[in-house]
Amino acid sequence: MSAQSMTYQDSQISLLSGLFGCFLGVAAALALAIFIVPTVRYLSLSNYLQIITAFAGAAAFLSLYFRRGRGTGLLYTAGAFAVLGVADVAGAAATLVRAGTFSFPSIIDMGFVAAILLLSSAYNRIYPRKQVRGLVLLAVLLLVLVVPLAILSMGGITRQGLMILLYFFACGSLIITGLNHGLTDHPMTLTGTLLFALAFMAYPIRETFFTGNPYLSIIGAFVAAGLSLIVLGFLSSAPCILQQEPAQEGSHRDP
């Protein structure tokens, strides 16, 4: 790889880092504003920020993939961000058309769950496996499933309860996959993953029991912050990760 190409890639990473650093700052400011002056008006702002961050993340990972020609992990991550963005747009459109909130659960929720599972698959392809004790992973899964199982046991088997269980299972799988692939060595990515997972565990609870609660508008800000940290965490370790992952067949490298 030529020195000119390396300089370009360093500039690309610096530019993307600055962009997602801005997204992170906006998400933090929005979360603080919601905490200080809670109002449902912030819900739309949170959703728009989440949409912009998701599509920007998809574009960033696609750019890195086509520029470097390495690994399906980048494509899976771009896909996860894109699916999340599309589901967010669909949710916002449904709300506008119906002049209110759409019913939960809906097909849009399957898009959110698909994005979470796709991101989990991406981690499996990007980060090296680092075996964690099975008991630790089992404890994490059981801890994650306590809430949805309690809801099902107290309220019976309902569509809402089953969707809550699916969200929690998908988020638990994401956390477990991250722990099992060395995210403890990448603090920003780990923090972003936990924020992202916690937000999507809180989301179905809000839609089922606390619709209209102004404080829970903060969920969208948490998602945007989580996505930003996931991107920033990857960018901070991109050279090492991309060197470890073999190039795809048929891809070209810079001379």
Side-chain angles (χ1 to χ4, degrees):
M1 185 179 294
S2 67
Q4 182 179 4
S5 178
M6 291 180 65
T7 301
Y8 174 85
Q9 290 179 5
D10 290 340
S11 301
Q12 182 186 27
I13 290 176
S14 297
L15 178 62
L16 291 174
S17 296
L19 176 63
F20 284 92
C22 289
F23 287 150
L24 179 61
V26 173
L30 181 58
L32 183 61
I34 293 171
F35 181 76
I36 295 174
V37 187
T39 171
V40 292
R41 294 179 181 177
Y42 284 125
L43 181 59
S44 295
L45 290 177
S46 295
N47 290 338
Y48 295 148
L49 179 60
Q50 186 174 320
I51 290 169
I52 293 170
T53 308
F55 282 126
F61 280 107
L62 277 177
S63 173
L64 289 170
Y65 173 79
F66 285 117
R67 180 63 190 174
R68 294 166 185 252
R70 285 180 176 271
T72 56
L74 294 176
L75 288 180
Y76 273 70
T77 310
F81 277 60
V83 169
L84 180 64
V86 170
D88 275 323
V89 170
T95 300
L96 289 174
V97 169
R98 301 183 187 184
T101 58
F102 58 89
S103 60
F104 173 84
S106 70
I107 190 65
I108 296 169
D109 294 289
M110 298 308 298
F112 288 142
V113 171
I116 297 168
L117 294 176
L118 199 55
L119 185 58
S120 180
S121 296
Y123 285 175
N124 193 41
R125 289 165 171 78
I126 290 177
Y127 296 98
R129 188 175 181 83
K130 183 177 181 181
Q131 189 64 48
V132 179
R133 288 186 178 182
L135 288 178
V136 174
L137 301 180
L138 180 61
V140 171
L141 182 61
L142 292 176
L143 185 62
V144 166
L145 294 181
V146 164
V147 171
L149 292 177
I151 291 173
L152 287 172
S153 64
M154 291 187 295
I157 298 178
T158 63
R159 291 187 303 120
Q160 291 84 358
L162 290 175
M163 183 56 70
I164 290 172
L165 177 63
L166 185 57
Y167 266 107
F168 274 68
F169 177 78
C171 291
S173 298
L174 176 63
I175 294 171
I176 288 172
T177 301
L179 292 176
N180 214 26
H181 285 80
L183 286 196
T184 50
D185 297 330
H186 306 278
M188 276 196 293
T189 306
L190 178 61
T191 302
T193 301
L194 292 176
L195 265 179
F196 179 82
L198 288 173
F200 272 107
M201 286 189 282
Y203 168 74
I205 300 295
R206 181 189 71 185
E207 296 300 304
T208 303
F209 302 109
F210 303 105
T211 302
N213 186 308
Y215 284 102
L216 293 182
S217 298
I218 204 170
I219 290 173
F222 278 5
V223 172
L227 293 176
S228 298
L229 284 168
I230 289 170
V231 176
L232 289 170
F234 176 82
L235 292 174
S236 67
S237 54
C240 295
I241 293 173
L242 292 173
Q243 285 174 6
Q244 292 172 356
E245 190 171 6
Q248 296 296 300
E249 289 187 13
S251 65
H252 67 276
R253 298 188 184 183
D254 293 326

